[in-house]
Amino acid sequence: MGKKVVVIGGVAGGAGVAARLRRLDESAQIAVFERGEYVSYANCGLPYHVGNVIKEREALILNSPQKLRKNFRLDLRTSHEVVKIDRQSKSVRVKNLQDGTMFDEPYDTLVISTGSSPLRPPIEGIDSDGIFTLWTIPDTDRIKAYIGQNKPKRAAIIGGGFIGIEMAENLREAGLEVSLIEMLPQVMPSVDVEMARLLEQNLSINGVRLYLGDAVGRFEKEGDRIGITLKSGAVLETDMVLLCIGVRPNSELARDAGLQLNEKGGIVVDASMRTSDENIYAVGDVVEIEEFVFKGRTMVPLAGPANKQARICANNIAGIPDQYEGTQGSFVAKSFDLTVASTGLSESALKRMGKGHGRDYQTILVNQKSHAGYYPGATRLVLKLIFGNDGKIYGAQIVGQDGVDKRIDTLAAALRLGANVKDLKNLEFAYAPPYSSAKDPVNMLGYVAENVLSGLMSFVPYDLVDASGKYLGGEDAQILDVREEAERMMFSIDGAIGIPLGQLRARLSELDKNKLVIVFCAVGIRAFTAARILSQNGFERVKVYPGGASFFQSVYYMGKDDACKLETCGENAPASASAKASLVVDCFGMQCPGPIMKVYQAMKEIAYGETVEVVATDLGFARDIESWCKHTGNTLVKAEKQGNKIVAILRKGTDAAAAAAASVQSAPAPAEGKTIIVFSGDFDKVMAAFIIANGAAALGKPVTLFFTFWGLNALRKTARIPVKKPLIDAMFGKMMPRGVSRLKISKLNMGGMGTAMMRRVMKGKNVDSLEALVKQAMDNGVKLIACTMSMDVMGITKEELIDGIEYAGVSTYLGEAEGSNVNLFI
């Protein structure tokens, strides 16, 4: 007979050791003692069985004791608990939990795979009925039985880690109201806070009420309800509680046997998985192992590492030298339609190690699509890469709806094989539009990292710009938003200077070169282009905001106060919302600024009171479109989440009564605004425009004057403003009149004599001068808008125009024209 190997515990670690060892050594005597009823089951699938995603309980059982005994000739005994290890006699004391008898079992080699257990802190009332943990199949049975018998409507989850997040989804899918309480200020502490914010936003959108940065003070059971008092003083009621606070290693046997443990109770092992006793090995959740990146020590309770450790342990017992080369802590988890994944070290872990951003490491964040944006169904992927100043990859995190797993696996492999960030741009991926982009998001990480290391670009840390748009970095800064005007109507950053990317070169004078410039766009691509323009035009301090405005919105999404926002948005879905929409706009997976442009065009095509149904993928779309409706005088009737998409119903106009009348073909109330395009720069034509505008304003009508091309000269200051311009722009400026006092009449000007004669006649007949008419119009609330596109073409800068006017593009004019019954072109 071969040597005697005793394994304490089953599941991934213990069962894996026993099976691998039998394949290597047919002569070995292998005994496995498991205190539970199940020796090999999928504990990662337990939350999905509670939520009935995995309907059959038997599907969780990977191997029955009978099958393992038969296939691997194991002395496998369930319901047997090892209560003591005697290192001197090389034996273990075993208790039969079915009849209470005790016996000693000798060993030549011992393997400890006792795993971990859920934490149950000493909180008042924690042992009350209706409070559960989820770690084993019997735990699952108890929870499902309680739900079936008591029909709870509310559930509270304590802890926002893996199991807490997964249970929140499954209980919501089962129809329960769910509250999630997390002591830390973020969910999923394994990822950095800005990535966690994406999950929190999605949890809130899916109806999970979040209580972050708060802890349970006590539980109080009264009848069928459980009262929860938080440390903050907040009180909530629920029908059941699930504790997902964390786990502790089951290392009592090892401690009592005198084996070396770390400060958290983990068993210290070497690379061969051997403990401080040469005859005893340990694997799985109970051990402390090496961290891969910096070779420190860590504990990672994950199934992947446990399975690898089991194989390495069995190899060494069988005489095949093998070593565990450290863990990256790679994981992937599902949260409703989002997936979160990570590999290697997080930025927060590096900070705990005393490492500083910039000094010791760099971070980049890119906001990409899961596949080609023009192919239907593309969704957002947010990728964060952490790397050293030498380009060594330290870690990566990804959050998105699709394609997360294959990208994190690629990055995990690159990290394991020692790739540099610059190697990422050279990776060649299989490409077709339904699966990826010609520049895969992983390639994009390589490109951006190379730009950072070479000094071509620099990111501002996401949290140095607060929710109000204020820079917190201790110096004077200006925020530049290079999105199109229509995009800024959906969401704007307070205090930002809005200059569309296409106009930036002509409007550089609007920015202060002595200040730091922080550039925003929708997702970051246009911002990088803008940063390069600025850097090559004398701006020495330019930084890009990571992930763009869409990421900014997610980071500062206040989800816990409006958890069910999408379900109650607009007018609570009145009956009219259920009627078939006049037009359906499919923006699924569309790149910015495509969606809002498409919505804008659609609203022009329908009649007042009719509705448009818009389908989009961006989680922030519901908030964006609500803001856009407010700015454009339309109504957001309803917005809801349907699977991995947002569906919004928009109604043209804001008058509910008129909308109802329109549904029975009644004519809507006429618009009363007046809109005038001032194209001409002739004195008499500009004069006519202002006379009409002032007359309409005197009647209480809203009036807009939109100045474009030659008409912009009427808004120029009379005094010469020293502005540095390209040669052609400067020549244009000298040839054109500066302000209304320099304009000439269109007929009989006669070298200026005709204009002077008209001014004299006007004065003699008490007709207000054009200068007075301009002031009168502004005092009466007439909007004077300078066309920014025309300013670029004409070489006119903001500094040269009079104060008190607005700057906008053609979409703003069209919006004003929608509410007008008079539109003039002068």
Side-chain angles (χ1 to χ4, degrees):
M1 296 293 290
K3 60 185 174 185
K4 178 70 173 289
V5 179
V6 171
V7 181
I8 307 174
V11 197
V17 170
R20 172 66 175 173
L21 184 57
R22 175 57 74 216
R23 293 187 181 100
L24 297 176
D25 188 349
E26 186 65 19
S27 66
Q29 303 175 62
I30 306 173
V32 180
F33 297 104
E34 166 59 50
R35 66 182 178 183
E37 300 175 38
Y38 306 93
V39 72
S40 180
Y41 62 91
N43 51 1
C44 297
L46 299 181
Y48 300 100
H49 182 46
V50 172
N52 285 323
V53 176
I54 300 174
K55 298 187 182 299
E56 299 298 328
R57 180 178 182 274
E58 288 70 25
L60 297 171
I61 301 172
L62 304 178
N63 276 302
S64 67
Q66 296 80 8
K67 186 177 180 180
L68 287 171
R69 292 188 190 105
K70 181 178 179 180
N71 290 350
F72 295 96
R73 196 166 55 82
L74 304 177
D75 178 9
L76 192 159
R77 292 177 247 185
T78 57
S79 299
H80 280 68
E81 181 179 8
V82 174
V83 297
K84 183 181 179 181
I85 299 171
D86 188 335
R87 294 168 58 194
Q88 297 299 320
S89 65
K90 295 180 67 175
S91 67
V92 294
R93 174 65 57 88
V94 184
K95 180 179 181 179
N96 185 329
L97 298 179
Q98 294 178 329
D99 59 17
T101 58
M102 307 276 284
F103 62 91
D104 293 328
E105 187 79 16
Y107 66 81
D108 296 312
T109 301
L110 180 66
V111 179
I112 301 174
S113 179
T114 46
S116 56
S117 297
L119 289 172
R120 292 185 70 97
I123 300 173
E124 180 182 344
I126 197 170
D127 294 322
S128 303
D129 290 341
I131 299 179
F132 304 92
T133 58
L134 179 61
W135 203 243
T136 65
I137 287 180
D139 292 339
T140 308
D141 294 339
R142 284 188 287 270
I143 293 170
K144 288 183 70 68
Y146 185 87
I147 293 175
Q149 294 167 9
N150 295 276
K151 303 295 189 293
K153 296 181 179 179
R154 302 166 296 179
I157 297 170
I158 316 301
F162 294 101
I163 296 178
I165 293 290
E166 291 169 349
M167 282 306 304
E169 174 187 354
N170 281 281
L171 291 176
R172 279 295 291 155
E173 293 295 333
L176 278 71
E177 297 177 13
V178 176
S179 298
L180 191 151
I181 302 161
E182 169 56 55
M183 180 175 64
L184 297 174
Q186 68 171 87
V187 300
M188 196 64 79
S190 300
V191 300
D192 293 319
V193 63
E194 69 271 31
M195 304 299 281
R197 290 289 179 261
L198 302 173
L199 297 177
E200 292 161 11
Q201 178 188 23
N202 196 44
L203 287 165
S204 296
I205 287 173
N206 281 283
V208 177
R209 189 165 295 278
L210 301 176
Y211 295 85
L212 303 178
D214 211 343
V216 176
R218 70 174 184 273
F219 297 104
E220 186 177 1
K221 184 72 183 286
E222 292 184 4
D224 293 334
R225 60 165 285 280
I226 302 172
I228 304 175
T229 302
L230 303 182
K231 293 288 182 66
S232 65
V235 178
L236 59 149
E237 289 188 357
T238 188
D239 302 318
M240 65 178 292
V241 173
L242 190 63
L243 301 174
C244 306
I245 301 172
V247 297
R248 60 170 182 81
N250 296 328
S251 57
E252 295 85 355
L253 281 173
R255 181 196 61 209
D256 294 344
L259 297 178
Q260 183 182 354
L261 307 181
N262 67 9
E263 66 279 1
K264 294 182 179 179
I267 302 174
V268 177
V269 296
D270 62 16
S272 65
M273 307 311 299
R274 185 180 272 111
T275 70
S276 54
D277 185 317
E278 64 176 359
N279 298 307
I280 302 177
Y281 292 78
V283 298
D285 294 3
V286 76
V287 303
E288 176 199 76
I289 52 179
E290 184 178 82
E291 175 271 312
F292 181 75
V293 179
F294 288 110
K295 310 305 179 185
R297 306 298 292 180
T298 188
M299 296 184 69
V300 179
L302 295 172
N307 277 282
K308 293 177 180 64
Q309 293 159 21
R311 179 185 179 89
I312 291 166
C313 176
N315 287 350
N316 284 295
I317 293 172
I320 302 173
D322 201 356
Q323 290 192 332
Y324 188 70
E325 296 182 355
T327 182
Q328 298 164 228
S330 302
F331 74 84
V332 62
K334 182 177 181 292
S335 177
F336 294 94
D337 57 316
L338 278 191
T339 299
V340 55
S342 176
T343 188
L345 294 172
S346 64
E347 184 176 8
S348 55
L350 290 177
K351 289 179 178 178
R352 289 193 297 270
M353 296 165 63
K355 298 186 182 298
H357 186 277
R359 183 186 72 239
D360 301 305
Y361 67 90
Q362 302 285 343
T363 65
I364 60 171
L365 186 143
V366 300
N367 195 337
Q368 295 287 298
K369 291 292 184 181
S370 57
H371 60 244
Y374 57 83
Y375 187 87
T379 57
R380 181 170 70 160
L381 273 179
V382 177
L383 304 91
K384 179 176 182 178
L385 186 68
I386 305 154
F387 54 97
N389 292 321
D390 60 354
K392 179 181 178 181
I393 299 173
Y394 292 163
Q397 299 162 34
I398 310 178
V399 176
Q401 292 177 307
D402 186 33
V404 173
D405 51 346
K406 70 175 182 177
R407 271 72 182 218
I408 203 67
D409 287 344
T410 300
L411 291 166
L415 193 161
R416 175 65 63 166
L417 297 175
N420 189 283
V421 291
K422 295 181 181 179
D423 295 322
L424 298 180
K425 65 186 175 66
N426 296 322
L427 293 177
E428 186 172 330
F429 297 97
Y431 161 64
Y435 303 104
S436 185
S437 300
K439 295 178 181 178
D440 188 86
V442 174
N443 293 139
M444 292 301 297
L445 285 175
Y447 296 139
V448 175
E450 183 179 49
N451 287 336
V452 169
L453 291 175
S454 64
L456 282 178
M457 73 177 300
S458 175
F459 284 106
V460 63
Y462 83 95
D463 54 352
L464 284 188
V465 180
D466 68 13
S468 66
K470 181 180 178 182
Y471 178 63
L472 305 178
E475 61 178 305
D476 202 4
Q478 52 199 329
I479 293 177
L480 172 63
D481 190 337
V482 297
R483 294 176 298 156
E484 297 298 319
E485 182 185 356
E487 294 176 88
R488 298 198 302 272
M489 291 173 70
M490 295 177 70
F491 167 74
S492 60
I493 300 162
D494 291 346
I497 300 169
I499 304 177
L501 178 61
Q503 302 175 20
L504 182 58
R505 291 178 179 86
R507 297 173 62 183
L508 293 175
S509 60
E510 297 177 32
L511 300 171
D512 188 342
K513 289 186 177 180
N514 296 317
K515 295 181 180 180
L516 169 67
V517 183
I518 300 171
V519 192
F520 273 82
C521 68
V523 298
I525 297 173
R526 284 174 288 175
F528 172 57
T529 302
R532 295 303 304 146
I533 293 172
L534 294 173
S535 296
Q536 296 176 80
N537 279 276
F539 290 80
E540 297 181 355
R541 291 181 299 153
V542 182
K543 292 184 180 292
V544 172
Y545 188 85
S550 64
F551 183 70
F552 179 87
Q553 288 176 276
S554 296
V555 165
Y556 292 112
Y557 179 79
M558 303 305 291
K560 67 179 181 181
D561 295 324
D562 52 0
C564 299
K565 185 175 181 64
L566 280 182
E567 298 176 5
T568 58
C569 190
E571 301 178 9
N572 295 324
S576 61
S578 61
K580 186 175 180 180
S582 307
L583 193 63
V584 176
V585 179
D586 187 359
C587 301
F588 198 84
M590 188 174 288
Q591 297 271 16
C592 288
I596 192 57
M597 297 299 187
K598 203 168 182 180
V599 170
Y600 189 85
Q601 291 299 320
M603 294 298 277
K604 290 171 59 178
E605 295 176 16
I606 65 172
Y608 187 88
E610 292 185 331
T611 58
V612 170
E613 178 181 306
V614 186
V615 181
T617 50
D618 188 358
L619 295 177
F621 180 77
R623 280 194 164 190
D624 287 346
I625 200 64
E626 183 177 14
S627 175
W628 184 85
C629 286
K630 289 178 181 177
H631 279 86
T632 57
N634 296 297
T635 303
L636 176 59
V637 177
K638 182 181 180 182
E640 63 181 4
K641 202 162 186 293
Q642 297 180 5
N644 65 343
K645 61 187 178 183
I646 302 294
V647 178
I649 305 295
L650 316 181
R651 186 174 61 233
K652 188 168 183 175
T654 57
D655 188 343
S663 67
V664 292
Q665 299 183 352
S666 296
E672 296 186 339
K674 317 298 176 187
T675 308
I676 303 173
I677 297 177
V678 184
F679 176 84
S680 173
D682 293 334
F683 173 89
D684 44 343
K685 294 176 182 177
V686 174
M687 185 90 177
F690 274 98
I691 290 172
I692 296 169
N694 282 327
L699 296 174
K701 310 301 183 184
V703 183
T704 299
L705 293 180
F706 188 77
F707 294 82
T708 181
F709 287 95
W710 311 110
L712 288 169
N713 291 319
L715 300 181
R716 294 182 75 189
K717 296 175 181 176
T718 302
R720 184 178 181 277
I721 305 298
V723 179
K724 187 176 181 180
K725 295 183 180 182
L727 178 62
I728 293 179
D729 289 0
M731 292 175 62
F732 250 92
K734 289 181 179 180
M735 291 187 291
M736 293 188 299
R738 293 197 301 268
V740 292
S741 64
R742 305 282 182 91
L743 299 182
K744 298 177 174 61
I745 60 174
S746 59
K747 304 291 184 182
L748 302 175
N749 182 52
M750 297 180 294
M753 292 176 57
T755 303
M757 291 172 60
M758 177 166 283
R759 286 181 177 274
R760 183 180 180 87
V761 170
M762 290 170 56
K763 184 177 181 180
K765 296 188 177 182
N766 292 320
V767 176
D768 287 336
S769 67
L770 182 51
E771 290 85 349
L773 288 173
V774 173
K775 183 178 184 303
Q776 188 181 98
M778 297 177 75
D779 291 342
N780 288 336
V782 174
K783 282 186 183 179
L784 307 185
I785 300 178
C787 174
T788 51
M789 183 276 294
S790 298
M791 289 173 64
D792 287 344
V793 174
M794 307 296 287
I796 297 175
T797 66
K798 193 174 181 180
E799 289 81 3
E800 296 177 272
L801 302 186
I802 61 176
D803 297 328
I805 65 174
E806 298 178 23
Y807 300 86
V810 67
S811 60
T812 295
Y813 159 71
L814 293 173
E816 297 288 338
E818 287 284 344
S820 300
N821 62 355
V822 173
N823 290 283
L824 302 178
F825 185 91
I826 296 179

